[in-house]
Amino acid sequence: MAGRMMTPWYPIIGSRWHIATTSGPLPTGTAVTLLCGLKWTVEYGHRPLRTFQCWKCDYIYRRANGIPILGDHPGAPKKDEHHAF
Ligand SMILES: [Zn+2]
């Protein structure tokens, strides 16, 4: 996409961090849909010590940005799930 840079965010829900892309910082309380489809309300300053990556967000982000995806990526759709993405 030319001209407009999308900024990746890494919102944390519970102990899992996801990825969302917006065109810039958003005010607290804004509803955002994450790459994996979950909904998140923008909040700042909350960060648990141990977090785990949402592989579905990672997979979708990689696909959208042309970042190489390993064959055994845990977020990749299963071979029999043709409808998943
Ligand atoms: Zn996610």
Side-chain angles (χ1 to χ4, degrees):
M1 252 176 274
R4 214 160 128 109
M5 206 38 206
M6 293 300 273
T7 310
W9 285 43
Y10 305 98
I12 295 170
I13 300 176
S15 59
R16 194 168 292 271
W17 60 269
H18 299 260
I19 303 175
T21 51
T22 70
S23 55
L26 297 171
T28 301
T30 306
V32 172
T33 302
L34 310 174
L35 293 188
C36 64
L38 285 179
K39 300 277 196 291
W40 178 62
T41 304
V42 175
E43 59 172 330
Y44 297 94
H46 173 67
R47 217 140 259 260
L49 285 177
R50 282 180 70 83
T51 56
F52 305 89
Q53 181 166 20
C54 171
W55 290 112
K56 197 170 174 185
C57 277
D58 181 72
Y59 181 83
I60 294 169
Y61 184 76
R62 284 170 182 269
R63 271 219 335 194
N65 290 277
I67 303 168
I69 299 167
L70 297 177
D72 58 351
H73 190 288
K78 303 282 183 290
K79 292 214 165 34
D80 55 345
E81 290 178 18
H82 297 294
H83 59 281
F85 286 94

